[in-house]
Amino acid sequence: LAGYRIRYGTTSGSYPNVITLNSPGLTSYVVENLSAGTYYFVMSSFDGAGVESANTNPVSKTIH
């Protein structure tokens, strides 16, 4: 395990924003500066060779 990728967007199934976290020991992360609306997130992990897992099931969060 080399790290994680968080993908997110405002439409379920479409995740144009990608955050790469090169910290395999990380247990939490805050996505900051999101405008009001509903966001959908998926996450994957990758190894040192760059091989990436499948995405998790999506979760959503509404920002007011």
Side-chain angles (χ1 to χ4, degrees):
L1 180 65
Y4 304 98
R5 286 196 179 91
I6 299 170
R7 292 178 168 84
Y8 66 97
T10 55
T11 303
S12 183
S14 177
Y15 313 105
N17 305 292
V18 181
I19 299 168
T20 299
L21 305 169
N22 295 309
S23 301
L26 200 62
T27 59
S28 65
Y29 183 82
V30 176
V31 180
E32 298 181 338
N33 301 317
L34 296 176
S35 300
T38 300
Y39 293 84
Y40 299 87
F41 298 84
V42 295
M43 192 171 98
S44 62
S45 59
F46 59 90
D47 66 16
V51 177
E52 193 169 350
S53 72
N55 286 334
T56 61
N57 289 328
V59 296
S60 65
K61 176 66 177 175
T62 300
I63 307 297
H64 298 282

